[in-house]
Amino acid sequence: MKTIMKLTGAIVAVSIFALALSTSAFAQETEVDATMKAESEMESALGTVPTMFEVYPEHLRGAAWEWFKATQSPDATVPGKYTQLISLAVSAQIPCAYCVYAHTKMAKAAGATDEEIQEAVASAAEVRHWSTVLNGNAVELEAFKAEWDQIMAHMEQQKMAEGAGGQ
């Protein structure tokens, strides 16, 4: 009986190992297929496979390309010009010279003017400035939130009063 149990255990172990190997091989094949498809799509859409994708781990390229396309989708809620202006502002704050260059070009291609680009970067600088002031002075977050909620309520009351007075 012990021999049969050992043999059964060995068969189960070998079966699990074989399943793991076949699953792993299938996953690798799928990743390779996704990478090849992604690179083909990049070539078609962009005329090349950008370096940022070439230096990305091969098994992740297909997913990275899908994510990249999704963030650039014309079906996005935020229009492309504004997405690029936001991305440019973030890029300036990181800072990332590669990203600043690419998002400036893409913002202009999406219709952003030089003035809009300047304003987006200035807005990013303002956020960075106040973030530095608040964080550097260890302003308590919950107190800040309460104060800001009061500010927003006051502004809403002013807006409603202006609307009532203008009718």
Side-chain angles (χ1 to χ4, degrees), residues 84-160:
Q84 293 308 319
L85 289 169
I86 292 165
S87 297
L88 172 59
V90 170
S91 300
Q93 288 304 307
I94 293 173
C96 176
Y98 307 98
C99 302
V100 167
Y101 183 83
H103 290 294
T104 299
K105 290 286 192 178
M106 292 192 297
K108 286 183 176 185
T113 65
D114 288 339
E115 293 79 12
E116 288 172 319
I117 288 170
Q118 291 165 354
E119 193 169 312
V121 173
S123 291
E126 180 200 14
V127 170
R128 181 63 167 247
H129 167 81
W130 291 115
S131 173
T132 302
V133 169
L134 293 165
N135 282 293
N137 288 294
V139 171
E140 207 275 321
L141 179 60
E142 292 307 314
F144 174 83
K145 287 179 176 181
E147 176 185 57
W148 209 253
D149 289 345
Q150 287 176 340
I151 290 168
M152 296 305 296
H154 176 77
M155 292 173 65
E156 184 62 30
Q157 286 174 347
Q158 285 184 321
K159 184 178 171 183
M160 288 173 41

Side-chain angles (χ1 to χ4, degrees), residues 1-165:
M1 183 71 165
K2 256 186 175 177
T3 306
I4 292 174
M5 289 179 72
K6 283 183 181 179
L7 184 56
T8 302
I11 291 171
V12 168
V14 169
S15 298
I16 290 171
F17 182 71
L19 178 63
L21 284 178
S22 68
T23 302
S24 176
F26 176 74
Q28 287 175 348
E29 184 177 315
T30 302
E31 291 165 356
V32 169
D33 291 344
T35 297
M36 290 175 57
K37 178 181 179 232
E39 289 177 353
S40 176
E41 286 182 12
M42 287 181 226
E43 284 276 348
S44 178
L46 308 174
T48 188
V49 175
T51 302
M52 63 190 206
F53 285 100
E54 288 181 348
V55 298
Y56 210 70
E58 186 174 3
H59 70 282
L60 299 174
R61 277 185 214 153
W65 173 242
E66 291 303 317
W67 184 30
F68 180 85
K69 288 189 308 182
T71 64
Q72 310 299 317
S73 172
D75 298 327
T77 303
V78 177
K81 177 172 87 169
Y82 301 116
T83 298
Q84 293 308 319
L85 289 169
I86 292 165
S87 297
L88 172 59
V90 170
S91 300
Q93 288 304 307
I94 293 173
C96 176
Y98 307 98
C99 302
V100 167
Y101 183 83
H103 290 294
T104 299
K105 290 286 192 178
M106 292 192 297
K108 286 183 176 185
T113 65
D114 288 339
E115 293 79 12
E116 288 172 319
I117 288 170
Q118 291 165 354
E119 193 169 312
V121 173
S123 291
E126 180 200 14
V127 170
R128 181 63 167 247
H129 167 81
W130 291 115
S131 173
T132 302
V133 169
L134 293 165
N135 282 293
N137 288 294
V139 171
E140 207 275 321
L141 179 60
E142 292 307 314
F144 174 83
K145 287 179 176 181
E147 176 185 57
W148 209 253
D149 289 345
Q150 287 176 340
I151 290 168
M152 296 305 296
H154 176 77
M155 292 173 65
E156 184 62 30
Q157 286 174 347
Q158 285 184 321
K159 184 178 171 183
M160 288 173 41
E162 288 172 8

